[in-house]
């Protein structure tokens, strides 16, 4: 049985549309996640001091000049503990630099900045005593 002219035209049209969609589909953006070393820190509360951790992940995308930081402060469920987290960045290739600060309690946070393309050194610290002296990573945009 031979397909009629209408069936052949419909099959050809479907093939052309599918090919066009596949060829015009945007490629998936490469996304990179870089873990920072855990920062152990003291924090303040109404009754004195408490201790906790700050964990952070640096996120970059191949088609963006933005760096995104997702981080979590954990003070063991103690309410009222707080410290200030400071992310400093330096574009090693261009010399530009900046900082992002945030007062934190036990919770999840995010921050972002636009350092421009190149090799970016990022450090995380707190305004209260912490160990290690700083958590540091390098990413490339």
């Amino acid at each position: 049985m031979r397909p009629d002219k209408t069936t052949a035209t419909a099959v050809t049209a479907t093939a052309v549309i599918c090919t066009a969609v596949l060829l015009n589909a945007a490629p998936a953006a490469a996304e990179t996640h870089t873990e920072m070393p855990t920062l152990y820190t003291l924090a303040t509360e109404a009754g004195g001091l408490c201790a906790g951790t700050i964990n952070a992940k640096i996120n970059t995308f191949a088609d963006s000049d933005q760096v995104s930081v997702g981080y979590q402060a954990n003070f063991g469920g103690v309410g009222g503990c707080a410290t200030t987290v400071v992310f400093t960045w330096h574009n090693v290739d261009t010399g530009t630099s900046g900082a992002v600060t945030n007062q934190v309690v036990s919770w999840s946070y995010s921050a972002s900045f636009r350092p421009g393309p190149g090799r970016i050194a990022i450090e995380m610290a707190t305004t209260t005593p912490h160990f290690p002296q700083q958590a540091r990573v390098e990413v490339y945009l």
Side-chain angles (χ1 to χ4, degrees), residues 54-75:
I54 311 289
N55 292 295
K57 185 183 290 184
I58 307 299
N59 305 301
T60 59
F61 302 88
D63 60 350
S64 175
D65 66 346
Q66 180 170 309
V67 173
S68 175
V69 182
Y71 60 107
Q72 182 165 355
N74 184 357
F75 297 108

Side-chain angles (χ1 to χ4, degrees), residues 60-128:
T60 59
F61 302 88
D63 60 350
S64 175
D65 66 346
Q66 180 170 309
V67 173
S68 175
V69 182
Y71 60 107
Q72 182 165 355
N74 184 357
F75 297 108
V78 178
C81 289
T83 190
T84 299
V85 175
V86 180
F87 289 96
T88 55
W89 58 268
H90 174 83
N91 186 319
V92 177
D93 297 328
T94 66
T96 58
S97 61
V100 177
T101 63
N102 193 20
Q103 179 79 19
V104 299
V105 295
S106 288
W107 196 255
S108 296
Y109 300 88
S110 64
S112 61
F113 48 90
R114 294 188 185 280
R119 192 171 32 147
I120 316 302
I122 304 166
E123 295 179 0
M124 175 177 62
T126 63
T127 56
T128 51

